[in-house]
Amino acid sequence: MSQAPRQKVSRSFWIKLGLVPIGMFAFAFALVPLYSVLCDVTGLNGKTNGVSFDPVTEYEVDQNRKVKVDFLAATAAGFPVKFYPKIKNMEVIPGKMYTIKYIAENRSDTVITGQAVPSIAPGVAAQFFKKIECFCFTKQTFQPKDPMEMPVSFIVEPALDKSIANITLSYNFFRIKDAEKVKSSEHTAAKSVQPKSITVTKG
Amino acid sequence: MATTTSDIQDEIDAHGHGAHDDHHHGPAKGLMRWVKTTNHKDIGTLYLWFAFTMLLVGGAMAMVIRAELFQPGLQFVEPQFFNQMTTLHGLIMVFGAIMPAFVGLANWQIPLMIGAKDMALPRMNNWSFWILPFAGSMLLSTLFMEGGGPAFGWTFYAPLSTTFAPASTDFFIFAVHMLGFSSIMGAINVIATIMNMRAPDMKLMDMPLFVWTWLITAFLLIAAMPVLAGAVTMMLTDRNFGTSFFDAAGGGDPVMFQHIFWFFGHPEVYIMILPAFGIVSQIIPTFARKPLFGYSSMVYATASIALLSFVVWAHHMFLTGMPIAGQMYFMYATIMISVPTGVKVFNWVTTMWRGSLTFETPMKWAVAFVILFTIGGFSGLMLGVAPVDIQYHDTYFVVAHFHYVLVSGALFSIIAAVFYWLPKWCGRMYNEKLATIHFWWAIISVNILFFPQHFLGLAGMPRRIPDYSTQFADFNMISSIGGFAFGASFLLLTYIIVTAIRSGEKIEEDRVWESAKGLEWTVATPAPYHTFDEPPKKAQILSESSHIGEH
Ligand code: HEM
Ligand SMILES: [Cu+2]
């Protein structure tokens, strides 16, 4: 009858229609790298480059302009390392290089490997905050009860918007599980020497 | 997919050959009729009863919430349980009540309104429904598991839903997967039906608005639901398989969860309102006895709302530390949505303007929809303004906003639709007097329930908290009283519907409402089990169109 051709749904129609949800499911996962790339390029979520910056250009330094930089440190749950900056903050002149130190002390009895993830607030400042040297570029291994000094060298670029007078640099240290498996087996002898002292870390 | 064409062929054969064969005319008997049915009307009925059951379950949870908030302090439930109630209330209402109810209406009405025999894929239709009771029970069963059900809110932000969630979260994830699967299959079916099964003489611009809005909704569904499925899949692997999509410790980012969620979430809110726009656009012309004003502008407005809904998601995230430029963009894009939305409200009002209005129950609900939905739209507009959202975000103002658009918007449109089409479905009339009492009862109580929540939010009362400081006490008590009254109104609604179906006054006329237009009114009352074995002809399609189209 007249409607007969219309009442059949062609195979290609189904395939096209089925591809939309499959494609959108894939798109959800594609959002993950897209998000990272976007944030890397723009520094939108405060993510800063994990690689060393090589200052090729000489900056024009305005001696009168000051930006206050705060240093924060945090450790993730299950990371028994006391971790703090040697100084809480400093005033910097954009264009000049500064070096500060973070201290980390493993309070447990095992070797711990961790990775520090840096973050800058406000997010828009991230692309103007350049690290020349940083312990966050590589994994760090902490021997038990052995305090370490870890330097960070950085430049705040003069191109930073004038309205920003305060930048916060914060690090969060996370444990890396895989790396430790190898290491901790090497150090099993040292393990039972002392009782756990994780909880004594003071603020 | 290969079974597709033969599936349809089966249906066509069954009807074509069985013209004089009783076997094919009525439904089968007994319980198996409902389990095995592939009839769009049966499946529509199943969806609607499922949605209604879930509405009562979710409503019971809301009663727990309002009882706890009746006074400051902790009275009835533990905070952890309170949070499970807000979470499951939201999930059940969105995925269990509103969405299945609209799919049920689509199943009943779309084939009737486009002159089709049935949905394009009747067997898949059966599957999409029967997944739902399993998904729903699984979701509810989490309440009885060790550690309790999900308590992280219906938006299940990571890491609350990954690192810090109870063990039952994996069941929640599986339930969401199933619900998503069901919706996607349902949406594919709707698209295929509308594009391929409608009467050959019906052009796209001849279609009634309910069909149009559902077509666009179905596209939103197949684009948005898979993203939700992706989000819960990432949660699942984060929780169980050592990935770290949302875990900063492994290089992930919890804020990214919010982006992915709201990329689904904002289109989702339009999934819950576009079919409502369609329903109201059917009802108002009938009782204003005038063609719908601005039919094609309605179609374009719906389409542009749908497209815009994909580019405004971060208005839910103004406080996540977005740069100013991002806030500005999402603010203006959000505010832009009110333009097509305004077009719609304007068209409804203009349709009523100087019409010969009568206010039968469906019309009462439709008019209430227009007024109350607009209030919700205005508060949405306020929330869309980034600088003021800093104050309103995560307060009861947001709760008031989305309940105005979802309860007095989406839900009221569903109630309107049921009163409008029920007489056609069952051949029986509901009790107009009781329905009027119920209407005023519900309308007054819903405003007592939700209007004070605006003030609570402006004064700074946070949402999802079982206790509050004493300055919020008065408005909360008023809101709770409204809540109990509104909850009780559903008992009367149940009574009205059940008595209408069982013993309502019989109706003889096909058209039920004297000036109703549309192909669904040309079939017998009550609607026979099989309709439109012969597609309607052009002349009939045109004379039944409720709009001045460009024919
Ligand atoms: C005029 C159009 C609308 C605008 C401008 C708008 C704007 C907004 C904004 C900005 C928020 C976020 C508030 C915050 O969390 O601080 C929001 C929340 C919400 N809106 Fe709308 N909205 C509109 C219409 C709708 C409609 C039609 C629905 C559903 C039918 C809806 C459902 C929701 C829901 C459920 C939430 C809360 C989500 C949550 O749980 O956090 N909105 N709206
Ligand atoms: Cu939104």
Side-chain angles (χ1 to χ4, degrees):
Chain A
M1 259 176 266
S2 61
Q3 91 268 32
R6 282 242 189 178
Q7 298 258 354
K8 260 190 202 145
V9 184
S10 73
R11 200 193 183 85
S12 70
F13 188 83
W14 286 120
I15 292 172
K16 268 187 238 153
L17 211 51
L19 281 177
V20 177
I22 293 169
M24 288 308 289
F25 186 70
F27 176 71
F29 287 87
L31 281 173
V32 179
L34 274 174
Y35 179 82
S36 301
V37 168
L38 194 78
C39 291
D40 275 352
V41 174
T42 59
L44 274 186
N45 60 352
K47 267 192 189 166
T48 63
N49 285 338
V51 288
S52 172
F53 173 72
D54 193 9
V56 278
T57 47
E58 279 287 311
Y59 292 109
E60 234 173 74
V61 177
D62 175 1
Q63 299 287 349
N64 291 324
R65 187 175 170 206
K66 292 255 166 65
V67 175
K68 186 171 157 232
V69 182
D70 289 299
F71 305 106
L72 296 182
T75 50
F79 192 74
V81 172
K82 191 176 177 193
F83 170 56
Y84 55 94
K86 234 175 158 176
I87 52 166
K88 292 256 183 298
N89 56 56
M90 73 192 297
E91 302 240 291
V92 305
I93 296 168
K96 276 192 168 178
M97 190 176 97
Y98 296 84
T99 301
I100 57 132
K101 293 207 171 83
Y102 273 74
I103 315 284
E105 184 188 347
N106 181 352
R107 294 298 190 92
S108 77
D109 304 316
T110 50
V111 176
I112 291 174
T113 305
Q115 169 77 52
V117 177
S119 168
I120 298 287
V124 279
Q127 51 183 316
F128 304 105
F129 192 95
K130 300 292 187 198
K131 295 187 288 307
I132 290 98
E133 191 194 343
C134 180
F135 55 90
C136 60
F137 295 155
T138 55
K139 290 174 202 162
Q140 300 291 328
T141 302
F142 304 103
Q143 302 299 328
K145 310 278 161 9
D146 180 18
M148 270 168 55
E149 284 204 342
M150 302 180 298
V152 182
S153 306
F154 64 90
I155 295 177
V156 175
E157 290 184 312
L160 177 77
D161 198 277
K162 293 269 191 301
S163 66
I164 298 172
N166 193 345
I167 297 178
T168 305
L169 168 66
S170 70
Y171 289 100
N172 202 351
F173 243 117
F174 297 103
R175 193 169 189 151
I176 297 175
K177 300 254 162 50
D178 302 340
E180 251 163 53
K181 260 180 217 145
V182 193
K183 295 248 168 58
S184 62
S185 59
E186 291 168 8
H187 290 266
T188 38
K191 208 171 185 175
S192 54
V193 181
Q194 274 174 317
K196 281 205 183 114
S197 56
I198 305 166
T199 47
V200 298
T201 325
K202 56 179 179 349
Chain B
M1 294 272 153
T3 55
T4 309
T5 25
S6 59
D7 224 13
I8 296 156
Q9 204 51 53
D10 284 356
E11 283 291 301
I12 293 168
D13 288 349
H15 300 168
H17 299 189
H20 297 288
D21 183 349
D22 278 342
H23 184 72
H24 289 287
H25 265 188
K29 295 272 179 295
L31 188 67
M32 287 317 275
R33 162 187 175 185
W34 299 103
V35 176
K36 287 162 61 174
T37 186
T38 55
N39 178 286
H40 74 100
K41 301 185 181 82
D42 280 354
I43 292 176
T45 306
L46 285 171
Y47 264 110
L48 286 167
W49 279 118
F50 174 79
F52 193 67
T53 314
M54 285 294 135
L55 182 77
L56 297 182
V57 173
M61 293 174 178
M63 293 299 101
V64 175
I65 295 170
R66 278 327 311 174
E68 182 55 56
L69 293 175
F70 190 67
Q71 287 182 328
L74 295 179
Q75 274 88 33
F76 300 105
V77 294
E78 295 294 310
Q80 180 68 15
F81 187 73
F82 181 89
N83 287 350
Q84 292 173 36
M85 286 293 106
T86 53
T87 304
L88 282 169
H89 165 74
L91 290 167
I92 295 279
M93 287 306 198
V94 168
F95 295 107
I98 303 287
M99 291 170 68
F102 280 133
V103 181
L105 292 171
N107 262 293
W108 253 105
Q109 287 308 125
I110 288 177
L112 285 180
M113 293 170 104
I114 60 176
K117 261 181 199 170
D118 205 310
M119 298 294 278
L121 254 194
R123 264 170 228 172
M124 188 164 89
N125 208 6
N126 173 290
W127 271 97
S128 354
F129 171 75
W130 278 109
I131 289 176
L132 281 182
F134 293 98
S137 336
M138 181 169 295
L139 192 56
L140 286 173
S141 71
T142 58
L143 276 178
F144 306 103
M145 292 179 189
E146 205 165 321
F152 31 66
W154 84 279
T155 51
F156 51 97
Y157 281 6
L160 212 49
S161 60
T162 50
T163 318
F164 304 103
S168 64
T169 305
D170 293 328
F171 289 89
F172 152 82
I173 291 172
F174 193 49
V176 172
H177 271 137
M178 290 201 291
L179 292 164
F181 220 74
S182 159
S183 299
I184 291 168
M185 293 199 299
I188 286 183
N189 220 337
V190 166
I191 296 174
T193 305
I194 298 176
M195 301 308 284
N196 297 282
M197 310 286 284
R198 62 177 198 278
D201 286 338
M202 182 180 263
K203 292 209 208 77
L204 280 175
M205 285 313 251
D206 294 336
M207 296 194 315
L209 259 167
F210 180 70
V211 178
W212 255 116
T213 53
W214 239 112
L215 178 64
I216 292 167
T217 303
F219 276 107
L220 283 183
L221 274 167
I222 60 170
M225 290 306 280
V227 177
L228 174 73
V232 291
T233 307
M234 290 178 213
M235 269 172 67
L236 189 75
T237 60
D238 267 15
R239 286 171 53 81
N240 300 306
F241 305 114
T243 59
S244 28
F245 287 105
F246 309 128
D247 183 5
D253 190 336
V255 176
M256 186 178 70
F257 175 87
Q258 297 185 28
H259 281 289
I260 299 179
F261 180 84
W262 288 115
F263 189 86
F264 146 80
H266 190 80
E268 167 67 16
V269 308
Y270 282 99
I271 287 166
M272 294 189 283
I273 205 68
L274 295 186
F277 291 169
I279 290 166
V280 171
S281 306
Q282 299 299 136
I283 294 176
I284 288 181
T286 298
F287 299 99
R289 291 164 183 79
K290 273 174 64 189
L292 183 70
F293 184 87
Y295 168 84
S296 48
S297 71
M298 286 296 218
V299 173
Y300 295 125
T302 312
S304 42
I305 291 175
L307 288 176
L308 282 174
S309 76
F310 280 105
V311 295
V312 298
W313 75 91
H315 63 214
H316 296 272
M317 302 172 54
F318 282 136
L319 273 93
T320 52
M322 249 191 279
I324 301 288
Q327 298 195 10
M328 297 273 275
Y329 162 73
F330 282 108
M331 173 169 108
Y332 285 120
T334 299
I335 292 172
M336 211 153 80
I337 297 202
S338 20
V339 176
T341 314
V343 167
K344 288 190 160 284
V345 175
F346 178 84
N347 286 347
W348 292 321
V349 173
T350 314
T351 307
M352 285 187 269
W353 181 253
R354 297 204 165 158
S356 322
L357 295 170
T358 51
F359 294 93
E360 285 86 343
T361 304
M363 182 64 164
K364 287 197 195 78
W365 288 99
V367 174
F369 170 95
V370 174
I371 297 169
L372 298 178
F373 170 78
T374 306
I375 295 179
F378 280 135
S379 57
L381 208 55
M382 290 169 72
L383 290 167
V385 179
V388 300
D389 186 60
I390 294 167
Q391 187 193 340
Y392 303 158
H393 180 66
D394 264 348
T395 69
Y396 259 82
F397 193 82
V398 179
V399 177
H401 157 64
F402 67 72
H403 282 93
Y404 265 88
V405 283
L406 283 172
V407 177
S408 54
L411 179 62
F412 280 13
S413 80
I414 293 166
I415 297 178
V418 169
F419 278 117
Y420 185 54
W421 283 310
L422 188 76
K424 169 53 75 183
W425 300 337
C426 320
R428 287 177 187 275
M429 196 43 120
Y430 57 85
N431 182 328
E432 186 75 45
K433 203 167 166 189
L434 276 183
T436 306
I437 294 173
H438 170 256
F439 171 79
W440 287 110
W441 180 353
I443 290 295
I444 293 170
S445 59
V446 83
N447 281 292
I448 300 175
L449 166 58
F450 293 123
F451 209 80
Q453 296 184 359
H454 289 116
F455 306 131
L456 285 170
L458 294 179
M461 178 172 161
R463 60 191 285 211
R464 295 171 174 160
I465 302 282
D467 187 8
Y468 48 84
S469 55
T470 44
Q471 78 264 30
F472 305 128
D474 292 348
F475 279 134
N476 267 299
M477 191 175 283
I478 296 171
S479 177
S480 283
I481 291 170
F484 301 139
F486 186 60
S489 77
F490 284 89
L491 302 179
L492 180 56
L493 180 66
T494 313
Y495 177 80
I496 294 170
I497 305 267
V498 171
T499 45
I501 294 171
R502 297 180 63 160
S503 54
E505 192 191 325
K506 279 213 162 81
I507 307 172
E508 308 295 331
E509 309 89 72
D510 289 350
R511 204 162 288 276
V512 182
W513 313 105
E514 59 171 27
S515 35
K517 290 279 183 75
L519 291 172
E520 76 263 40
W521 307 110
T522 63
V523 304
T525 302
Y529 200 55
H530 296 295
T531 35
F532 292 115
D533 282 344
E534 289 289 329
K537 295 276 173 298
K538 186 81 190 173
Q540 191 178 26
I541 291 170
L542 290 188
S543 71
E544 289 301 337
S545 118
S546 66
H547 57 272
I548 311 169
E550 30 271 64
H551 306 300

